[in-house]
């Protein structure tokens, strides 16, 4: 059974492929009365749509969203919210020459191992195009969280091994690459052009920060908030690692360094990233995701055909040089979906306690 749903109470089910008629989803559990419109969702979709910037694919998609249900007179009704985004610029012919070849770094060989069949046109459901539905759903979650005063920001902390100074998170939302550091933008742009000329690709690190998150969200054992966040972010195809707070750096610290001591005004540091024992502490939530380089590159690589013959492949078509910056709103959306779900789960706990 295909796993196309995410969340418990704030639940999202998505559909669609890279080269099909379109993509979309159903959101269940969104409370009624939340201000919502196609324009609100569109603002978030525009941040990830293709065709923007030097690192982006040349594929042009307007990514115009259509709300099909669950909204009346600009407010959510509490019933299922349906939405659809049409594909308009598919070029399936770009893939006809490699339909019997397993592309290195892609899910071609694993999808075929699982299902015995695969959509070779851009990877089908394994394509990064699938994430458009996540961003649309995340926009709905964002409006719900906004009513609670919770704010989520995402930005690029590193591109191609070159780090940014995280000094202007708000400004990053309108800066190229979602960079929190104005001075690194030109360096990253040069790097992208250099790598593009080589036919290669780049990875990077995205940091997501949630502010005004109330203490008490998350479960103590199997549904720890940090576990749910890692699950959500690792579910995005290009993500290969997740850190909460100090992350792997904590393994190189001593307890006296890593512990977040407390004073009369609260915590004195935030190495825990806002999560203690799987439950939010009330501090800012800080999460980082390691994003691998785009596997579709214009460099000849060794591979195998479906018939087991060794061959070489050079991936044509229109591809990003890096998943950054377009993956930034995707990862932000996944964090917001987790938080929206956890808020509703905590409300259920409080309701039970008050009976």
């Amino acid at each position: 059974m295909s796993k196309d749903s995410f969340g418990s109470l704030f639940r999202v089910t998505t559909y669609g492929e890279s080269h099909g008629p379109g993509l979309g989803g159903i959101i269940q559990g969104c409370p009624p009365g939340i201000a919502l419109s196609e324009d609100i969702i569109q603002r978030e979709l525009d941040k990830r749509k293709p065709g923007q910037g030097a690192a982006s694919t040349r594929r042009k998609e307007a990514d115009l969203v259509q709300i099909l249900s669950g909204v009346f007179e600009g407010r959510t009704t509490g019933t299922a919210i349906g939405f659809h985004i049409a594909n308009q610029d598919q070029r399936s012919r770009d893939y006809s020459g490699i339909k019997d070849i397993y592309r290195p770094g892609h899910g071609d060989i694993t999808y075929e191992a699982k299902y015995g069949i695969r959509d070779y046109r851009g990877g089908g459901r394994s394509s990064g195009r699938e994430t458009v539905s996540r961003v649309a759903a995340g926009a709905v979650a964002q409006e719900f969280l906004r009513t609670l005063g919770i704010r989520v920001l995402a930005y690029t902390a590193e591109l191609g091994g070159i780090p940014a100074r995280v000094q202007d998170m708000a400004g990053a939302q309108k800066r190229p690459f979602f960079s929190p550091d104005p001075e690194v933008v030109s360096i990253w742009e040069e790097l992208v052009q250099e790598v593009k000329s080589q036919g290669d690709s780049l990875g990077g690190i995205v940091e997501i920060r949630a502010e005004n998150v109330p203490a008490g969200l998350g479960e103590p054992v199997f549904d720890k908030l940090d576990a749910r966040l890692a699950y959500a972010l690792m579910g995005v195809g290009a993500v290969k690692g997740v850190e909460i707070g100090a992350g792997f750096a904590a393994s190189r610290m001593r307890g006296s360094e890593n512990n977040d001591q407390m004073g009369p005004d609260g915590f004195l540091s935030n190495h825990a990233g806002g999560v203690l024992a799987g439950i939010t502490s009330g501090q800012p939530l800080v999460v980082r995701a390691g994003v691998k380089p785009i596997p579709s590159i214009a460099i000849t690589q060794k591979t195998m055909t479906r018939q087991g013959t060794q061959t070489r492949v050079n991936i044509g078509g229109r591809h990003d040089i890096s998943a950054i910056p377009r993956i930034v709103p995707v990862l932000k959306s996944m964090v917001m979906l987790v938080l929206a779900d956890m808020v509703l789960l905590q409300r259920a706990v409080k309701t039970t306690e008050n009976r």
Side-chain angles (χ1 to χ4, degrees):
M1 183 175 180
S2 183
K3 181 73 170 175
D4 292 308
S5 298
F6 178 83
S8 300
L9 298 184
F10 196 103
R11 187 170 179 82
V12 180
T13 301
T14 70
Y15 65 83
E17 294 87 25
S18 176
H19 286 244
L23 306 99
I26 298 288
I27 303 166
Q28 296 172 291
C30 181
I34 306 298
L36 188 66
S37 66
E38 289 172 348
D39 286 343
I40 288 172
I41 297 176
Q42 195 64 52
R43 283 198 295 270
E44 295 304 306
L45 288 176
D46 286 348
K47 296 175 183 178
R48 76 148 299 280
K49 71 180 181 182
Q52 302 182 86
S56 181
T57 171
R58 295 188 304 277
R59 179 172 175 173
K60 297 290 185 180
E61 292 284 358
D63 281 352
L64 297 178
V65 67
Q66 180 184 12
I67 295 177
L68 304 177
S69 65
V71 178
F72 180 68
E73 295 183 341
R75 299 275 172 179
T76 57
T77 62
T79 58
I81 299 170
F83 63 90
H84 181 77
I85 299 144
N87 283 329
Q88 299 173 320
D89 190 26
Q90 312 98 306
R91 276 188 7 198
S92 300
R93 65 181 181 274
D94 288 344
Y95 298 91
S96 58
I98 57 171
K99 64 185 180 69
D100 291 320
I101 296 174
Y102 296 131
R103 296 168 298 167
H106 284 272
D108 298 346
I109 194 167
T110 53
Y111 263 57
E112 196 152 308
K114 181 174 181 64
Y115 298 108
I117 186 174
R118 65 182 171 90
D119 184 347
Y120 62 83
R121 305 165 305 166
R125 284 290 275 172
S126 68
S127 168
R129 180 108 185 99
E130 171 269 329
T131 62
V132 69
S133 300
R134 302 178 189 231
V135 175
V140 179
Q142 180 168 250
E143 295 310 301
F144 169 47
L145 296 174
R146 197 187 303 277
T147 66
L148 307 174
I150 298 173
R151 184 188 188 204
V152 182
L153 296 171
Y155 40 87
T156 302
E158 185 176 305
L159 178 63
I162 300 175
R165 294 177 298 165
V166 180
Q167 56 183 0
D168 182 14
M169 295 176 288
Q173 308 313 300
K174 295 184 178 180
R175 197 171 290 124
F177 302 103
F178 292 101
S179 171
D181 178 0
E183 296 179 7
V184 82
V185 171
S186 60
I187 299 172
W188 283 351
E189 287 175 339
E190 274 187 40
L191 177 64
V192 166
Q193 291 300 335
E194 177 187 350
V195 170
K196 185 176 183 178
S197 69
Q198 297 167 350
D200 219 332
S201 61
L202 293 166
I205 297 173
V206 175
E207 186 165 285
I208 309 99
R209 182 182 178 96
E211 299 175 336
N212 301 322
V213 178
L217 302 185
E219 300 298 322
V221 186
F222 296 115
D223 261 350
K224 288 179 167 65
L225 180 70
D226 37 4
R228 287 285 296 274
L229 288 169
Y231 173 75
L233 295 174
M234 288 294 292
V236 178
V239 174
K240 300 304 289 184
V242 174
E243 291 186 323
I244 313 290
F248 281 100
S251 68
R252 298 185 288 272
M253 295 180 184
R254 298 190 178 187
S256 56
E257 298 172 297
N258 185 59
N259 290 345
D260 295 315
Q261 299 183 53
M262 292 169 272
D265 296 324
F267 290 96
L268 304 181
S269 60
N270 191 19
H271 296 127
V275 185
L276 289 167
I279 298 170
T280 54
S281 65
Q283 287 190 280
L285 191 65
V286 182
V287 193
R288 281 177 298 280
V291 180
K292 73 174 185 177
I294 293 289
S296 293
I297 58 176
I299 293 176
T300 301
Q301 303 173 85
K302 295 178 181 179
T303 188
M304 300 293 289
T305 67
R306 295 178 67 199
Q307 294 75 31
T309 303
Q310 187 167 17
T311 187
R312 293 175 182 267
V313 64
N314 186 308
I315 308 297
R318 302 162 295 172
H319 305 289
D320 295 313
I321 302 303
S322 175
I324 292 170
R326 294 178 58 215
I327 198 173
V328 174
V330 177
L331 301 180
K332 172 187 170 184
S333 293
M334 295 310 297
V335 169
M336 292 190 294
L337 289 171
V338 170
L339 289 175
D341 199 28
M342 285 296 188
V343 165
L344 295 182
L345 287 167
Q346 182 66 6
R347 285 184 179 180
V349 169
K350 292 295 185 182
T351 300
T352 302
E353 287 178 351
N354 293 332
R355 283 179 182 171

